[in-house]
Amino acid sequence: QVQLVESGGGLVQPGGSLRLSCVASGRIFSIHAMGWYRQAPGTERELVARITSGGSTNYADSVKGRFTISRDNAKKTVYLQMSSLKPEDTAEYYCNADLITTLPAYVTAYWGKGTLVTVSS
């Protein structure tokens, strides 16, 4: 069974930092793009950051310069280093990955269950 499991969320004060991790496991032939999305109560899920298999990245304007996405292909892991956190960053953060899990190859999007980040004093 293919899974994405996030970790690293928690409570942090404004201006603080957190590092989220997401590990993919199961029968995976290859991993394409990976990313982080977030959803605050009463809002739609939004893209935070995304990284391709080649390492190209894109970020939401609201997190540029504060968040950094990276990946370790050998560990099937994507990270989100979050710095200078603001109360408006409070949300459930979800990992997303485009995986090939079957042959013939077919790319399917998988989601983790989320990890809560709360920024508050």
Side-chain angles (χ1 to χ4, degrees):
Q1 183 179 359
V2 176
Q3 293 186 90
L4 298 179
V5 179
E6 303 100 333
S7 62
L11 173 64
V12 63
Q13 292 187 342
S17 299
L18 279 177
R19 188 196 197 203
L20 306 183
S21 300
C22 171
V23 181
S25 64
R27 191 168 182 243
I28 299 170
F29 290 101
S30 67
I31 303 176
H32 290 226
M34 305 181 81
W36 290 94
Y37 291 71
R38 68 185 181 187
Q39 186 170 19
T43 69
E44 294 187 354
R45 191 173 296 188
E46 63 175 3
L47 172 69
V48 176
R50 197 155 173 83
I51 184 168
T52 68
S53 57
S56 297
T57 59
N58 65 289
Y59 296 90
D61 288 343
S62 59
V63 307
K64 282 181 181 176
R66 300 188 298 122
F67 292 8
T68 301
I69 189 171
S70 61
R71 61 191 285 170
D72 184 328
N73 292 327
K75 295 182 178 179
K76 299 179 183 175
T77 301
V78 62
Y79 305 97
L80 186 69
Q81 178 66 49
M82 305 185 293
S83 302
S84 302
L85 283 160
K86 305 175 181 179
E88 51 262 44
D89 294 318
T90 296
E92 191 81 18
Y93 283 70
Y94 297 91
C95 176
N96 165 266
D98 293 335
L99 307 177
I100 294 178
T101 60
T102 61
L103 293 176
Y106 184 81
V107 178
T108 303
Y110 284 83
W111 292 89
K113 294 183 178 180
T115 184
L116 181 62
V117 172
T118 304
V119 185
S120 176
S121 55

